[in-house]
Amino acid sequence: MADKLKFTIDGVEVQAEHGQTILDAADAAGIYIPRLCAHPDLKPIGSCRICTVVVNGRPQAACVQPAAEGMVVENDTPEMLEHRRNLIDMMFVEGNHFCMFCEKSGNCELQAMAYRFGITAPQYPSQFPDKDVDASHPDVMMDYNRCILCTRCVRASQELDGKNVFQSIGRGFGRKIGVNGRQALGDTDLNVDDRAADPTICPVGCIIKKRVGFEVPIGERKFDHEPIGSEIEKG
Amino acid sequence: MLKEAKIKKICKRFGNDRTRMMDIVREIQQEFGYVPPKYYDLIAREANTHRVEVQSVVSFYTFLSDRKKGKIIIRLCEDIIDKMAGADEVAAAFERELGIAFGETTDDGKFSLEWTACIGMSDQAPAALANDTVLTNLTPEKVPEIIQALKKKADPQVLVTECGDGNNADQLIQTMVQNNICERGEVLLGDYDLEAGLRKAIEKTPEEVIEDVKNSGLRGRGGAGFLVGLKWEFTRNAPGEDKYILCNADEGEPGTFKDRVLLTERPDLVFEGMTVAAFAIGAQTGIVYLRAEYAYLRAFLEDVLNRRRAAGLLGNNICGKDGFNFDIRIQMGAGAYICGEESSLISSCEGMRGDPSDRPPFPAIAGYRVAPTAVNNVESYCCATRVMDKGADWFSGIGTEKSAGTKLLSVCGDCERPGIYELPFGVTVNELLKKVGAEDAAAMQVGGPSGQMINPSQFDRAISFEDLPTGGSIMVFNKQRDLLEVVEAFMEFFAEEDCGYCVPCRVGNVLLLNRLKQIRNGKGVTEDMDYLEKLGKATKRMSRCGLGQTSPNPILSTLENFRPIYTEVVRDNTSGLQKSFDVLEAMEQANEVTGRQSVLFHA
Amino acid sequence: MSKPKVATTSLAGCFGCHMSLLDIDDRILQLIDLVDFDKSPIDDIKTFTDRCAIGLIEGGCCNEENVHVLQEFRKHCDVLISFGDCATMGGIPAMRNNIPLAECFDEAYRTGVTVYNPDGIVPNDPDLPLLLDKVYPAHEVVKIDYFLPGCPPSADTLWAALTALLTGQPVELPYELLKYD
């Protein structure tokens, strides 16, 4: 068995360790595949589908699909770009995203993804669903209007904090993130220092720490000047 | 007994094992009429898990509830075939009789009314479940008697005054359901020698058994058509001590009811096939995942399993074969179409919500309890048994080159003889229509909502994996039917049943459905067809599992095969004003609140 | 040759987007060289005097008058631009969109914590436009050709888009000019 296996992404040869996912191999090679539910510290679950690439003719989520010798991956194609844009639009219209007063604006990965794709307005009708805000916890609040159900909080709590504060409940369009407490977040054992409450875990402004909003002025925020993924593309 | 004590007892009965959460909450639901959220903590503690995990399971399945429901829950089938047979009129009669609307419970706590997805009775529609009891061929006239009888005695079995044919009349089934077997083929519904397949199999080596199944060309009967022998080989060769045989008896595809008849009339053939698979793969445990809608078959199936244990066909040293140990348990589902997807089915068997999993790893490598697992359809196991008995050549000689054997079709809709047809693969749609008495058909839905709708110019096509694949569902529509209504019903179904895990399926189906409704409300424009096509393709391409990869099919296949049903209702719009926006409708709430009508806009 | 005409309006918005338009500062002189303003709060022309090349729409539609004005804009303008988050996505006014209208009235005029209205009278003058069931982004009511999101879109964003459009260049915003906040 060779040390490393080789495959191509849009015709560029890429090397991967055995067992490495397409996404990780692409990152290492300086090729950015857009993603939202994937996080470097968490097990991938392939739910946002933004990282979908065409592998030997079949769509696969790059974050969960292991790289294999000789596989032909299409990433930056007109078809995939269009479908990814569709998914970003879907996430915008299924929630209520008021960027103008969101603490996460400028550091939000969903917003940044839309910027990267040059989206000026969603192409689908906004659904304006009725969602809750949970301010029961003394230090952390949840605004479900912004949730994209990536379950990064679920995984962070389980994998990094050794807790089980969050879990998906319900199904279909009514699916949401449930909390492991009698009523609300305040009834759980979530601590403000938990990784699950860390602003780098929630990609959007759903889980935010109280009293620390708008810390970074406009112009200095993460995605103010460079698109999401730039750090990977720079290698 | 105190409620807490009852819950503890139930948890204990399932070994305080969180992987049996489905059984635990089902039993609690049976005991209390719902799963009370105030006991989530207790259940979690007893079963060694977290309360949110309990909530996660309860909130996923439609037959589980966190709110108290009536002692008798009447679940009327909302499938389009049932609607065509008058389900709406029956629903109105129930509402009249009980004084409640669907989704509500009577004040005395005796009755709840609910709509439910296809319950597998499309050949005797409209049909409903009263708890576990199936009510078929309902009419508005029958409803008052039904309610009266149930008010007199709160046991839905009192409604079964006459049993159906065959085993439907068995002491342990006692249902009014009819088999409606219209054509028997030589593989499944013809005569066969009980246990001949199993006995022949154990004379061979497991490898030879797999080779036979491979050579027979047997492909999975659930619809996808993967080679059964190959799946068994992968599972056998996968590393691991414990291996599992799962039987998918969760036929939820609307219009499919063929496994119901196999489970009723050929349970031994199913279990025998699972036992053959266990021998071939080296598995010790089998699970039949039985959909909640077929709970009325459970006692009967358990009895068959007991008989087989007593006869040495299950248990240790099966058929006297030293070291061949295998047993089967039945896992009840709780109302979720997605659980027919094999990885969802596995999650459900593990006591979790039925979210599908990523592949790889495939179940053959890491399935149930992360062990190598073969998941096959009820019909596939029956076929495997027959391959063992009659040989691979016999089987591959039936059907077409790429689709060996017979296919069990469940036919419903606008035809004279709805029911079960066992026909060799390769039968053309025209031949089938002749048999079922529907030569005037205007459209046929092959493979259920996730399949495709074909028009009469395509009726010379053949039912087979290479041409028109189907898991068994065949729905016939005559020219009086509004096909857009059918498409909308199918999209409603998918929007109800998608698990919500991935974005394209969770949102795409809702957006597709909304636009379709808009078109049916006369607000459609020419561009909407393009919108539907693009959105449908995006949903298909980007979705994670088979549900989202097929859910846009009702729209995409009718856009292709029945384009006029769209072009007839959409209009060109060059005005620059959006037809989807109706200012008068948007002001209805204001009219009510202010008591004024608009001066600017008039009807 | 006469200069192309531009019309602007603020529907269910806060005029912030118009303020941002004024924020182009001295470039407004260049703009005046390029265009004439027709119906607009900037010059206080109330009705269209001529066909316009560009209509700038601030705000979504929260009431019947908004709908009427927006439809007039569509009829009189060659190109319609939604500018600002309210026009493109509903914005702050759309926060009421999942609340029934009757409850909105109650909250605003009767039960809201800052409301002082001892007689409980809800304004209902016939001149008051009827509210819609929800606030609609402009493109859900009429066809919109371009979108400039932002709350408000920056003066630079507006300048870049307008000059591109008026000089026949494609309207493509550089990364730093596309913002939703």
Side-chain angles (χ1 to χ4, degrees):
Chain A
M1 196 188 280
D3 272 334
K4 288 202 167 186
L5 46 86
K6 290 183 187 136
F7 67 104
T8 62
I9 300 178
D10 296 332
V12 177
E13 191 175 280
V14 173
Q15 295 197 334
E17 311 280 347
H18 288 272
Q20 201 173 23
T21 62
I22 294 173
L23 189 86
D24 287 343
D27 280 1
I31 297 172
Y32 178 64
I33 301 174
R35 82 293 303 262
L36 283 171
C37 68
H39 185 285
D41 297 344
L42 304 171
K43 282 189 198 126
I45 57 142
S47 75
C48 77
R49 312 310 287 175
I50 298 272
C51 73
T52 302
V53 290
V54 177
V55 181
N56 300 337
R58 275 179 70 117
Q60 302 279 7
C63 70
V64 290
Q65 187 69 21
E69 181 67 38
M71 78 178 15
V72 177
V73 175
E74 297 165 57
N75 170 42
D76 206 6
T77 62
E79 193 214 359
M80 280 301 115
L81 291 180
E82 186 194 326
H83 288 336
R84 285 174 190 154
R85 193 223 139 120
N86 295 340
L87 295 183
I88 299 164
D89 280 346
M90 287 183 192
M91 281 185 258
F92 268 95
V93 302
E94 78 159 327
N96 299 303
H97 297 277
F98 297 102
C99 296
M100 69 290 288
F101 64 80
C102 179
E103 299 88 328
K104 201 64 175 277
S105 191
N107 296 311
C108 168
E109 294 178 31
L110 174 65
Q111 185 193 58
M113 200 59 78
Y115 291 167
R116 189 186 163 101
F117 278 77
I119 296 174
T120 54
Q123 61 188 318
Y124 307 124
S126 295
Q127 302 298 301
F128 298 115
D130 194 7
K131 305 263 181 171
D132 297 329
V133 175
D134 179 350
S136 60
H137 192 282
D139 303 314
V140 180
M141 67 167 273
M142 286 182 83
D143 185 342
Y144 286 96
N145 290 289
R146 305 166 180 169
C147 180
I148 56 168
L149 296 168
C150 66
T151 72
R152 273 158 56 163
C153 57
V154 176
R155 288 173 281 154
S157 184
Q158 291 173 355
E159 296 167 24
L160 307 178
D161 300 329
K163 297 183 182 177
N164 206 90
V165 175
F166 305 102
Q167 186 52 276
S168 302
I169 58 171
R171 80 176 190 205
F173 203 70
R175 186 181 177 116
K176 63 179 268 190
I177 300 294
V179 296
N180 192 39
R182 201 159 270 281
Q183 296 282 332
L185 194 61
D187 305 321
T188 69
D189 58 351
L190 179 79
N191 188 293
V192 68
D193 298 322
D194 284 357
R195 281 295 303 278
D198 190 279
T200 61
I201 293 296
C202 181
V204 292
C206 174
I207 299 178
I208 47 171
K209 293 186 185 181
K210 290 182 177 176
R211 300 175 295 278
V212 291
F214 312 108
E215 257 190 334
V216 184
I218 291 177
E220 293 173 28
R221 301 168 306 181
K222 196 169 177 198
F223 304 116
D224 277 341
H225 302 291
E226 284 192 294
I228 188 168
S230 301
E231 66 287 356
I232 289 169
E233 285 165 325
K234 280 181 204 157
Chain B
M1 204 189 323
L2 279 171
K3 283 181 179 173
E4 281 86 349
K6 278 186 183 166
I7 286 171
K8 282 185 184 174
K9 201 175 152 198
I10 290 168
C11 292
K12 199 171 173 198
R13 181 135 35 89
F14 294 101
N16 297 95
D17 179 356
R18 69 194 158 94
T19 71
R20 300 300 297 274
M21 187 57 73
M22 282 289 281
D23 304 279
I24 292 172
V25 288
R26 273 190 64 96
E27 294 260 326
I28 292 171
Q29 166 112 7
Q30 210 134 37
E31 181 74 36
F32 299 100
Y34 70 129
V35 188
K38 68 171 185 174
Y39 295 121
Y40 284 174
D41 277 315
L42 177 65
I43 299 166
R45 213 164 39 242
E46 291 300 307
N48 250 316
T49 183
H50 306 272
R51 71 168 277 137
V52 73
E53 303 285 348
V54 180
Q55 185 185 9
S56 175
V57 171
V58 174
S59 61
F60 189 85
Y61 298 94
T62 52
F63 279 42
L64 299 173
S65 172
D66 60 1
R67 281 175 304 126
K68 196 159 176 71
K69 296 267 177 81
K71 282 212 158 30
I72 295 171
I73 303 176
I74 294 168
R75 294 186 170 95
L76 185 57
C77 180
E78 65 181 341
D79 186 71
I80 186 68
I81 302 295
D82 290 65
K83 292 275 175 104
M84 280 160 37
D88 284 328
E89 290 73 26
V90 172
F94 273 118
E95 291 186 332
R96 253 193 329 269
E97 209 56 33
L98 290 171
I100 56 168
F102 269 70
E104 293 178 351
T105 300
T106 54
D107 288 337
D108 60 9
K110 283 186 178 154
F111 295 95
S112 292
L113 287 178
E114 288 178 9
W115 286 108
T116 196
C118 185
I119 60 171
M121 303 291 159
S122 307
D123 57 339
Q124 37 215 301
L129 292 169
N131 293 346
D132 292 345
T133 302
V134 185
L135 311 175
T136 60
N137 296 314
L138 290 166
T139 61
E141 294 73 37
K142 287 182 185 171
V143 169
E145 299 166 32
I146 289 172
I147 297 301
Q148 249 169 17
L150 290 176
K151 277 182 175 165
K152 219 185 263 174
K153 191 173 181 218
D155 174 11
Q157 272 306 108
V158 297
L159 302 171
V160 183
T161 47
E162 204 175 322
C163 286
D165 57 336
N167 285 340
N168 289 306
D170 186 282
Q171 208 51 41
L172 291 168
I173 298 184
Q174 295 279 308
T175 179
M176 64 177 80
V177 176
Q178 297 282 352
N179 289 327
N180 289 332
I181 297 172
C182 301
E183 188 148 338
R184 290 171 191 270
E186 51 186 324
V187 178
L188 299 163
L189 295 173
D191 295 330
Y192 75 104
D193 294 335
L194 207 60
E195 312 319 331
L198 177 59
R199 287 186 199 283
K200 285 179 189 168
I202 59 171
E203 294 303 314
K204 305 185 179 198
T205 67
E207 288 82 0
E208 286 167 347
V209 171
I210 289 174
E211 213 48 41
D212 280 354
V213 178
K214 274 164 73 178
N215 290 339
S216 74
L218 172 60
R219 298 170 66 170
R221 273 7 187 191
F226 195 78
L227 277 171
V228 173
L230 209 54
K231 198 185 258 187
W232 290 9
E233 189 173 60
F234 289 152
T235 315
R236 174 169 183 81
N237 292 342
E241 279 294 300
D242 295 320
K243 296 186 180 177
Y244 295 93
I245 304 296
L246 265 54
C247 173
N248 187 344
D250 193 45
E251 58 172 353
E253 188 72 42
T256 318
F257 44 87
K258 49 112 189 159
D259 289 342
R260 184 238 302 156
V261 173
L262 285 176
L263 291 165
T264 307
E265 296 302 326
R266 293 288 182 272
D268 281 296
L269 212 50
V270 183
F271 297 141
E272 196 180 333
M274 290 177 72
T275 313
V276 169
F279 176 73
I281 288 163
Q284 301 204 330
T285 308
I287 301 174
V288 175
Y289 187 86
L290 185 65
R291 68 189 304 227
E293 292 81 350
Y294 294 168
Y296 74 97
L297 292 172
R298 185 181 180 172
F300 169 74
L301 293 173
E302 295 280 12
D303 185 61
V304 175
L305 288 175
N306 279 333
R307 249 194 311 103
R308 292 184 70 84
R309 286 184 193 109
L313 299 166
L314 284 175
N316 289 339
N317 306 321
I318 291 170
C319 294
K321 183 99 178 165
D322 225 22
F324 177 27
N325 309 330
F326 178 67
D327 210 334
I328 297 172
R329 79 169 168 93
I330 294 173
Q331 174 67 58
M332 290 306 300
Y337 166 73
I338 186 69
C339 288
E341 199 277 345
E342 63 177 7
S343 66
S344 297
L345 183 145
I346 290 170
S347 295
S348 193
C349 285
E350 291 170 338
M352 297 189 288
R353 40 193 293 117
D355 289 339
S357 315
D358 290 302
R359 279 159 296 186
F362 287 89
I365 307 295
Y368 182 67
R369 291 172 185 262
V370 208
T373 303
V375 188
N376 288 114
N377 183 264
V378 169
E379 187 182 342
S380 304
Y381 285 120
C382 292
C383 290
T385 310
R386 299 288 288 148
V387 167
M388 282 301 112
D389 182 18
K390 306 279 280 185
D393 290 344
W394 168 80
F395 190 82
S396 64
I398 307 167
T400 70
E401 197 189 329
K402 286 180 178 158
S403 307
T406 59
K407 182 75 192 88
L408 206 55
L409 301 172
S410 49
V411 184
C412 60
D414 295 317
C415 58
E416 280 165 37
R417 292 174 293 278
I420 295 292
Y421 294 79
E422 185 189 353
L423 300 169
F425 270 116
V427 62
T428 66
V429 171
N430 274 325
E431 289 165 344
L432 178 60
L433 287 171
K434 204 168 171 189
K435 284 181 192 294
V436 306
E439 284 151 296
D440 61 342
M444 183 191 269
Q445 184 74 25
V446 183
S450 70
Q452 46 188 317
M453 191 184 280
I454 58 168
N455 67 38
S457 77
Q458 299 161 303
F459 285 176
D460 55 349
R461 293 176 64 182
I463 306 283
S464 61
F465 291 107
E466 59 271 31
D467 190 0
L468 283 174
T470 172
S473 173
I474 301 282
M475 297 172 172
V476 185
F477 302 102
N478 66 27
K479 63 176 189 295
Q480 272 82 44
R481 300 297 172 192
D482 174 357
L483 294 181
L484 271 187
E485 183 191 354
V486 176
V487 175
E488 185 184 324
F490 290 167
M491 292 314 297
E492 289 265 15
F493 168 75
F494 287 123
E496 282 276 310
E497 294 295 334
D498 85 64
C499 77
Y501 188 104
C502 74
V503 174
C505 187
R506 179 174 75 233
V507 187
N509 285 323
V510 171
L511 295 176
L512 286 167
L513 173 63
N514 288 350
R515 186 57 55 100
L516 200 64
K517 283 182 172 167
Q518 213 168 287
I519 293 172
R520 287 199 66 219
N521 284 338
K523 294 178 185 169
V525 292
T526 312
E527 292 83 1
D528 286 340
M529 292 192 289
D530 192 45
Y531 173 95
L532 289 176
E533 192 166 336
K534 282 190 172 149
L535 179 55
K537 282 185 178 158
T539 304
K540 259 177 100 81
R541 284 286 268 181
M542 303 302 266
S543 284
R544 186 163 176 259
C545 81
L547 196 155
Q549 287 160 11
T550 57
S551 62
N553 285 355
I555 288 175
L556 294 176
S557 73
T558 47
L559 274 173
E560 196 177 327
N561 300 333
F562 293 89
R563 202 156 183 90
I565 64 174
Y566 295 90
T567 53
E568 275 163 15
V569 293
V570 299
R571 265 169 276 169
D572 285 334
N573 179 20
T574 50
S575 69
L577 311 183
Q578 301 288 15
K579 257 185 80 181
S580 52
F581 177 74
D582 181 341
V583 68
L584 294 177
E585 204 177 291
M587 287 188 294
E588 277 170 8
Q589 284 187 39
N591 296 145
E592 200 162 309
V593 175
T594 63
R596 287 191 284 132
Q597 297 298 311
S598 172
V599 193
L600 278 171
F601 298 96
H602 316 274
Chain C
M1 203 175 89
S2 69
K3 287 184 277 183
K5 292 202 151 87
V6 173
T8 78
T9 186
S10 180
L11 307 175
C14 69
F15 269 96
C17 296
H18 273 77
M19 298 307 287
S20 196
L21 183 60
L22 297 178
D23 265 350
I24 60 176
D25 297 333
D26 54 335
R27 284 173 291 186
I28 201 150
L29 298 172
Q30 295 176 52
L31 188 61
I32 297 297
D33 283 342
L34 285 170
V35 300
D36 281 333
F37 278 87
D38 198 273
K39 175 177 162 61
S40 169
I42 292 174
D43 54 16
D44 211 22
I45 297 178
K46 307 279 192 206
T47 51
F48 280 100
T49 62
D50 203 353
R51 179 133 198 104
C52 292
I54 298 172
L56 281 173
I57 310 296
E58 171 184 345
C61 290
C62 79
N63 63 32
E64 55 175 332
E65 196 215 355
N66 295 156
V67 175
H68 176 70
V69 172
L70 184 55
Q71 292 181 345
E72 286 297 302
F73 263 72
R74 184 68 273 182
K75 280 176 204 154
H76 288 92
C77 301
D78 297 337
V79 166
L80 278 193
I81 305 176
S82 272
F83 78 129
D85 284 346
C86 297
T88 52
M89 289 184 259
I92 300 270
M95 288 185 74
R96 75 160 164 101
N97 279 9
N98 41 45
I99 303 166
L101 200 54
E103 276 180 48
C104 293
F105 271 92
D106 271 348
E107 179 74 15
Y109 297 113
R110 292 200 184 99
T111 59
V113 285
T114 59
V115 173
Y116 177 73
N117 183 4
D119 299 329
I121 293 168
V122 175
N124 194 15
D125 190 277
D127 281 347
L128 288 172
L130 291 173
L131 291 179
L132 307 182
D133 54 349
K134 61 179 188 182
V135 178
Y136 293 80
H139 64 272
E140 292 186 19
V141 176
V142 302
K143 282 187 186 158
I144 298 287
D145 304 289
Y146 296 97
F147 300 90
L148 301 173
C151 189
S154 70
D156 288 345
T157 304
L158 293 171
W159 178 251
L162 281 176
T163 49
L165 209 56
L166 289 165
T167 54
Q169 307 296 314
V171 183
E172 280 166 8
L173 295 175
Y175 179 80
E176 293 187 62
L177 292 187
L178 174 61
K179 292 283 174 282
Y180 299 164
D181 56 5

